[in-house]
Amino acid sequence: MTKKSRPRTGADSRPAVFLGIETSCDETSAALLTEDFEVLGSVVLSQDEIHAPYGGIVPELASRQHIRSIGYVVAECLTRSGRTLSDVDGFAVTQGPGLIGSLLVGLSFAKGLSYCFQKPLYPVDHLSAHIHSVLIEHPSIPVPALALLVSGGHTSIFLMREKLDVVCLAKTRDDAAGEALDKIAKFLDLGYPGGPVIDRIAAEGTAGTFPFSLPQMSDGSADFSFSGLKTAAVRLIREQELNAGHAALPDFLASFQQAVVDALCRNTKKLIQKIRPRSLILVGGVARNSMLRRDFLSLAEQHNIPAAIPSPGYCTDNAAMVAALAVEQYKQGRRPDPALDLNAYSQFQDLRT
Ligand code: KG4
Ligand code: ZN
């Protein structure tokens, strides 16, 4: 990425607009954002119905569905925005990490658009995009900010030293929090994705009814571990013969969900006390969870720090967050290198901002 001064690239000195594309997992999404983070249009097409019978994502089905949907999703986004592709000043696309076949659909499509319209293509890291999703509704978030990212594939705490300078302070050593919720829901035959189902049923129950002990890291780090909680949950389900119709299910799920949320908030608290950030950020699909949102806000209040949590639609995978990261890069004068040899990456390497 080269760095240049910041011209307004939009014609007639109107704000420049950026089209984001996200296909890293099982959502096909496109969004159009102005350089002022105004969302002109946003479309997220979920594949939940396709994967639900299998209780989890089937990668080959996901990439095939992205191929079917991507053209429609981009067209629909432009229609809702009242713009055409010729109005777009820059494209942005998720490069990784994610399912490689799914990523390649979005990346190839975006490369085609960038080449055809001779406009820059910003390759975007999926985790960075989740963190920067907060800019859509909180563009002036004070830094340094401590960011808890909780999704189906990742659970980590980052320090945003500056908007585009983010370092990882803690991560999960086994399952992600969303993965643990999804697996327990699958074990109980509650449907896919499990997180929202657990959220809904747990609202009817009382947390603390079933005992769960929180994982402790022997080295005192703020890293997470959710496999022990998951194993304890499976043991309780077997011992108490719990199932989808059991009267104690809401209490059980409320207790399990509370244990996951407590583990997330406890480690965040540890780092708040160590780092003393100026703000807190909660992002990722599990940031939709009502118990986590409530407890995270109360954690912020206890420490007298402002907290930013995106609206639910910007927590789960979406292209507005992809465009938002490109907008921040653009505002800071970063211009992407010519992109036709860009390749997707499936695994988390270093966080790329
Ligand atoms: O960020 P995301 O859309 O995809 C990844 O990058 O992984 O997150 C998906 C995860 C899934 O595990 C899903 O169960 C979880 O977010 N999720 C929730 C809720 N809504 C989505 N978990 C708990 N409560 C919710 N309301
Ligand atoms: Zn995600």
Side-chain angles (χ1 to χ4, degrees), residues 24-27 126-127 130 149-154 177-179 181-182 192-200 257 284-290 315-318 321:
S24 69
C25 196
D26 62 340
E27 260 94 28
H126 183 69
L127 302 189
H130 268 301
L149 163 61
V150 204
S151 71
H154 302 272
E179 189 181 357
L181 293 167
D182 290 343
Y192 171 84
V197 185
I198 292 183
D199 195 2
R200 205 170 53 244
Q257 184 180 253
V286 184
R288 290 178 82 122
N289 185 268
S290 49
C315 290
T316 28
D317 290 347
N318 67 89
M321 68 185 191

Side-chain angles (χ1 to χ4, degrees), residues 108-187:
S108 312
F109 198 85
K111 277 186 198 178
L113 290 175
S114 163
Y115 181 69
C116 179
F117 289 88
Q118 290 294 297
K119 291 289 158 59
L121 175 59
Y122 289 78
V124 161
D125 181 275
H126 183 69
L127 302 189
S128 271
H130 268 301
I131 297 166
H132 291 86
S133 65
V134 82
L135 298 178
I136 300 166
E137 292 159 306
H138 306 272
S140 310
I141 181 99
V143 289
L146 199 64
L148 173 61
L149 163 61
V150 204
S151 71
H154 302 272
T155 298
S156 310
I157 303 178
F158 296 92
L159 182 64
M160 184 188 265
R161 295 187 288 214
E162 297 290 341
K163 297 270 176 57
L164 295 180
D165 176 10
V166 183
V167 287
C168 183
L169 300 182
K171 59 185 184 315
T172 182
R173 295 192 182 175
D174 40 57
D175 289 351
E179 189 181 357
L181 293 167
D182 290 343
K183 283 181 179 165
I184 292 304
K186 184 176 180 188
F187 195 69

Side-chain angles (χ1 to χ4, degrees), residues 246-318:
H246 199 289
L249 190 71
D251 286 346
F252 171 75
L253 292 178
S255 305
F256 175 61
Q257 184 180 253
Q258 185 71 65
V260 170
V261 168
D262 285 350
L264 293 168
C265 289
R266 183 197 56 188
N267 291 16
T268 307
K269 181 174 180 168
K270 207 183 252 184
L271 289 177
I272 294 173
Q273 289 168 343
K274 187 169 167 198
I275 309 275
R276 304 257 163 230
R278 290 185 61 214
S279 62
L280 295 181
I281 295 173
L282 173 63
V283 288
V286 184
R288 290 178 82 122
N289 185 268
S290 49
M291 201 183 260
L292 179 57
R293 291 174 90 91
R294 180 198 68 195
D295 289 4
F296 193 82
L297 287 174
S298 111
L299 184 66
E301 212 174 288
Q302 281 162 31
H303 291 85
N304 208 13
I305 312 174
I309 310 178
S311 301
Y314 298 135
C315 290
T316 28
D317 290 347
N318 67 89

